[in-house]
Amino acid sequence: MSSAIKDLPLAAEFAPAGYDDWRKLALGVLKGAPFEKLQGKTPDGLPLEPIYPRAINALPVAGRPLGAPWQIVQRVDHPDAAEANKQALHDLENGATGLALVFAGSVGGRGFGLPPTREAIEKALQDVHLDAGIGIELQFAPESCDVVRHLVELIKRRGTDPAACDIRFGIDPIGARAVRGSSPTDWSEIARGIAEVARNLCAAGFKGPFLAADGRVVHDAGGSEAQELAYVLASAIAYLRALEAAAVPLDQARGMIFARLSADADQFLTLAKFRALRVLWARIEQSCGLAPKPLFVAAETAWRMLTQRDPSVNMLRATVATFSAALGGANALAVLPHTLALGLPDALARRIARNTQLVLLEESNLEKVADPAAGSGGIEALTHELCDAAWTQFQAIEQAGGVFAALAANLIQPKIAATRAVRDKAIAKRRDVLTGASEFPNLHEARATVLDAEPIAVPTFGEAKISFEPLTPLRLATPFEVLRDKSDAVLARKAARPQMFLANLGTPADFTARATFAKSFFETGGIEAIDTEGFTDPAALAAAFKASGAVFACLCSSDKAYAAHAAAAAQALREAGCGRIYLAGRPGELEASLREAGVHDFIFAGGDALAMLNDAWQRIEAA
């Protein structure tokens, strides 16, 4: 390095700047608007500041060992065990270091999964060397708990040392019952059963962990980060108490439990959530009189963020989620293939899911630094705020008698439903954007390829002894996708979609912005927009509308052009037989005159787009 470059002062030439300097400049830009306009809130109501100072004396959160890569886990969920085996071997040969055996009917099955039989397990794991450092994770329904025995027997028949196997058995009766909303047995019987299984596995030489505290149950149902954390803690404590009641020492019992969290496309919240879980679990260990040891935390990219429409965007969502969970210290990570919401993913989708992790691990070297977010003011603040919020909710669950009792009494479900309702409203109003679904739709996109596979039906237990509200999984884009499905059905029947005539007024400079907005608005609901060159003559506009064959129209232009032309244009459209007239933008003082001229509804940013589109479809179907 030359001395000239070495002595370059760089930042030293600038005057030091602090928070007060930034705030002064920010207030100038706000031009009298309150500073709070720059602040936000998480779904838990936690404050989000626009800028944070560096966190002084912050220590790294103990998690994945320094420099240790996380396990790259691939789903093995093909209903045909022979095909599942081919997929598993291909994944292992091309960079995967772990396999999640997903069985039909499990929480993570997503409509597919392996048959829960001895033959299926043996066939799916053919030529997979279980003592070669490969991580194996089981995901199964309560009715399929024999898969644990089948796997143990397979290992015994092979003569493999159980201690050499890295298997997370994934026993989670609480999670399965939370999703179904019922249980054939009470908690005391469940607790005795899982403790016996865990002790037997340990006696057989398996090192575990055996029991899973699975946060996907809450996240899939629309819950917040703090709600997911509180549920995971409460589930883990329930399993810890069950083991303790079976005379398993606490120091040994904690190693029999692992956690699983969903990772979504909110980078900072996801990162902070994974850090917060480790802080919270360390607090529980200390309360038990134990020196903290890092909990094994598995991650899976979120089901609820997947879209059927424009599924390629799911790759971007998965990349952000993987990045966040990896930096948050996840020990194992499974990426849901981007086409999973459409059906069973093909080889390309599986490859992309696998390579998303490989690129971040082997090319971006995300594992090289332990807890890289340590000291970041924003992440540290969010981590501790999540800890406080989750701990309060965890205490409420404990006061109710534990997680099973709280579910049975429907104490957890309404809180999750309330959070879900707030998020649904934000999506309906497109404040929270789902690219390709609620914004920037492509009505002419080619449908992604998925495998032709029939799901396996798994019989459920008999009559439920205990029933309560289920935590039903959802995808956030579903309400918009329902409308797109209606549009596809109309296209199949009539060779044309429902159409919206864009009544553009004035010059392109007047109408382009709002015409673009209106096109995206209506096409998110599957109503195809017919663009036009622009009109100043109401008679010409009416003639063009009649020739288009559309039933509805939307006026698009500037506020100035609306004042001059909108009323006459609306009257001409009404006289031409337009069944419904919309206007893009807020009407302001013109609302009364515009409605009198024939405008029925106004579409604008922040309005309830979903409600407007559903209303339009009711009129389309009634026509």
Side-chain angles (χ1 to χ4, degrees), residues 332-370:
L333 215 161
V335 172
L336 298 183
H338 69 283
T339 59
L340 184 59
L342 290 165
L344 192 63
D346 64 5
L348 177 61
R350 293 178 63 85
R351 175 187 176 188
I352 292 170
R354 184 181 66 243
N355 286 353
T356 298
Q357 298 197 60
L358 284 169
V359 170
L360 291 174
L361 182 64
E362 298 188 3
E363 296 186 21
S364 300
N365 297 306
L366 296 190
E367 87 284 8
K368 298 299 183 184
V369 179

Side-chain angles (χ1 to χ4, degrees), residues 92-132:
L92 293 174
E93 290 167 358
N94 288 277
T97 55
L99 300 173
L101 302 186
V102 182
F103 293 90
S106 65
V107 169
R110 314 305 178 190
F112 295 96
L114 289 162
T117 64
R118 179 181 63 80
E119 294 78 13
I121 292 174
E122 188 164 357
K123 191 173 292 185
L125 292 177
Q126 184 176 341
D127 297 325
V128 175
H129 300 286
L130 299 176
D131 56 353

Side-chain angles (χ1 to χ4, degrees), residues 80 82 93 144 147 170 201 233 282 296 299 311 318-319 348 357 384 398 408 419 423 487 489 509 546 549 560:
D80 184 327
E93 290 167 358
S144 307
V147 300
L201 289 170
L233 289 180
F296 190 101
T319 300
L348 177 61
Q357 298 197 60
H384 292 297
E398 287 295 286
T419 302
R423 182 178 281 107
S487 178
K546 283 185 176 181
K560 183 178 179 181

Side-chain angles (χ1 to χ4, degrees), residues 229-230 233-234 237 284 389-399:
L229 289 168
L233 289 180
I237 283 293
I284 286 176
W391 191 260
T392 298
Q393 294 185 42
F394 164 66
Q395 288 178 315
I397 293 172
E398 287 295 286
Q399 288 170 0

